[in-house]
Amino acid sequence: MHRRQKPSAPEHKRDLAAHGEALSMSHNDTHSFFNFSQLVLSAGHLKPPPVLKHSKTTYFEVEILDVQSKKQICIVDKVPPSSTLLDVKHKFHKACPRWYPSRVGLQLERNGPYLKDSINIQSLAVSSIITLYFTDLGQQVGWTTFFLTEYTGPLLIYLLFYIRLSTIYDQVESTKNFRHPVVHLACFCHCLHYIRHLLETLFVHKFSGGHTPLKNMIKGCAFYWGFTSWIAYYINHPRYTPPSFGHRQVSFAALAFLMCEAGNHFINVALAHQNHSGLKACFPSPTYNPFTWLFLLVSCPNYTYEVGSWISFTVMTQTLPVGIFAFLMVIQMSLWAQKKHKLYLKRYYPEVRRKAAMIPIIF
């Protein structure tokens, strides 16, 4: 048998040191792992790093060509899909400052209709490049300015003739001749008519188009201002003769005039609020107000009342210039009524199909 030899003192010390070092390392590792676990638990769940998303938005380029020469005027680049045509017009205005947005007319085809400002640019896109044709619409004015200018003129012009300026009438003849009451009544009715138009322009009407060419305003002013001068000259003339049937004719005509003015106002108010009755747009229906009952017969009762006012004014004053003006108004209002009636048939066919455009019973 072999006897187990005891290790020598140096070797024994070396083994104890190694064993102690191993125990110390194990104790340190356990302590470090415990500290790391406490750190993880206090920090909460580990979150993965955020994933970077790359934008894939497609931008359009709008090429604008001259409608006559087909030459390129400019390219509007980096147009987002959510942009409208009005946004493109603003960018076009920055590139070409001489053409502001209301003066710019854009078309998809050279002979096509002008595109509306509210149209979305993405709906026009076939590819990333959109080609539009540019037309200079000329000097533009707002609809509010248009109507205020058109209606303020007749109001002031008539009053100038009513006070009988010495530069218009003979002063001696003006002081001699007595003014018939119908002259004062006609001035009141004429002023009432245009004051109503001005107030409705400011507080009732809602204009969707935005702008109109300046030449249209000049034509409208020439028509209304010119006829007002002719009408006012005859009615306020010192030698003006009253209507043939006297007071009875004047009274009935004045009553009809006031009724037509009231009806016109209530119809305009109803048309201004026709889309506020529900989620879906519907044609205005008659209410408890008897002036709105004309909606049962015609689709454009505001034109019916407007024509009725001028026919009543013609009967009340019994003058040729008013009669000619009323006749032209009937023609113009009929054309406008037919145009609107066709639009109403497309939008509100079941409600409008059995109505006349302006004159009841005439379908």
Side-chain angles (χ1 to χ4, degrees):
M1 292 180 64
H2 295 281
R3 180 178 283 182
R4 188 175 180 181
Q5 297 180 352
K6 293 183 179 180
S8 62
E11 291 179 354
H12 180 68
K13 290 181 180 179
R14 198 165 45 245
D15 291 340
L16 290 176
H19 181 68
E21 185 178 353
L23 290 175
S24 176
M25 289 179 63
S26 175
H27 177 73
N28 290 338
D29 289 345
T30 305
H31 184 69
S32 298
F33 178 76
F34 176 76
N35 290 339
F36 178 73
S37 301
Q38 292 295 324
L39 179 64
V40 170
L41 291 174
S42 63
H45 298 287
L46 294 177
K47 295 182 179 179
V51 180
L52 297 177
K53 296 182 179 180
H54 298 283
S55 176
K56 295 183 179 180
T57 305
T58 304
Y59 292 95
F60 295 101
E61 288 187 358
V62 180
E63 181 186 27
I64 300 178
L65 309 179
D66 183 75
V67 72
Q68 299 294 336
S69 62
K70 293 185 180 181
K71 292 183 179 179
Q72 185 186 94
I73 299 176
C74 76
I75 293 180
V76 180
D77 57 353
K78 294 184 178 180
V79 179
S82 59
S83 298
T84 62
L85 199 69
L86 183 61
D87 298 328
V88 175
K89 288 184 178 182
H90 282 292
K91 291 186 177 182
F92 177 62
H93 174 57
K94 290 182 180 179
C96 305
R98 58 178 294 194
W99 292 307
Y100 48 90
S102 61
R103 188 168 180 165
V104 176
L106 296 177
Q107 305 159 273
L108 269 177
E109 300 175 356
R110 295 182 67 188
N111 297 324
Y114 293 115
L115 301 173
K116 294 183 179 180
D117 291 345
S118 59
I119 193 170
N120 190 280
I121 199 68
Q122 192 172 15
S123 63
L124 305 175
V126 178
S127 64
S128 60
I129 300 177
I130 303 172
T131 301
L132 299 176
Y133 293 95
F134 161 75
T135 301
D136 183 7
L137 300 178
Q139 189 75 20
Q140 302 286 302
V141 294
W143 280 110
T144 302
T145 304
F146 176 91
F147 287 114
L148 290 179
T149 306
E150 192 175 67
Y151 296 142
T152 303
L155 180 64
L156 299 178
I157 289 172
Y158 196 97
L159 291 175
L160 291 176
F161 283 91
Y162 176 74
I163 62 178
R164 290 184 177 178
L165 294 176
S166 58
T167 55
I168 301 175
Y169 302 112
D170 181 73
Q171 201 66 21
V172 177
E173 194 174 28
S174 298
T175 54
K176 282 184 179 180
N177 294 336
F178 170 75
R179 290 198 188 194
H180 194 274
V182 71
V183 176
H184 304 293
L185 183 61
C187 180
F188 170 78
C189 291
H190 192 275
C191 292
L192 176 67
H193 178 78
Y194 285 103
I195 289 173
R196 178 184 63 79
H197 273 304
L198 291 172
L199 293 177
E200 288 178 353
T201 300
L202 293 173
F203 304 110
V204 177
H205 294 305
K206 298 176 183 179
F207 306 107
S208 57
H211 297 83
T212 185
L214 178 63
K215 61 182 180 180
N216 289 348
M217 189 179 77
I218 295 175
K219 290 179 183 178
C221 289
F223 178 77
Y224 279 97
W225 295 16
F227 263 102
T228 299
S229 301
W230 192 24
I231 290 169
Y233 176 80
Y234 275 89
I235 295 177
N236 296 287
H237 199 280
R239 297 183 182 180
Y240 169 75
T241 55
S244 304
F245 295 96
H247 179 71
R248 181 179 297 179
Q249 178 178 342
V250 173
S251 299
F252 279 111
L255 181 61
F257 178 87
L258 295 175
M259 291 180 64
C260 289
E261 288 295 303
N264 204 338
H265 171 70
F266 289 121
I267 293 297
N268 287 332
V269 171
L271 290 173
H273 296 85
Q274 63 176 330
N275 294 332
H276 296 173
S277 57
L279 298 176
K280 185 179 180 181
C282 58
F283 190 76
S285 57
T287 63
Y288 62 88
N289 188 339
F291 290 104
T292 62
W293 295 349
L294 199 56
F295 274 122
L296 295 171
L297 300 175
V298 296
S299 60
C300 302
N302 52 326
Y303 294 147
T304 308
Y305 282 123
E306 182 77 10
V307 168
S309 294
W310 286 111
I311 293 176
S312 302
F313 195 75
T314 303
V315 176
M316 182 176 64
T317 58
Q318 196 175 311
T319 54
L320 180 63
V322 182
I324 295 175
F325 182 75
F327 176 73
L328 294 177
M329 289 296 288
V330 170
I331 296 175
Q332 183 63 73
M333 295 292 167
S334 299
L335 295 175
W336 288 344
Q338 289 292 336
K339 186 177 179 180
K340 279 195 172 183
H341 187 67
K342 291 180 180 179
L343 293 176
Y344 288 154
L345 285 174
K346 294 179 180 179
R347 295 180 185 177
Y348 321 106
Y349 176 73
E351 302 164 282
V352 184
R353 64 189 180 92
R354 293 187 178 275
K355 302 180 191 296
M358 186 182 76
I359 302 174
I361 306 175
I362 299 179
F363 293 89

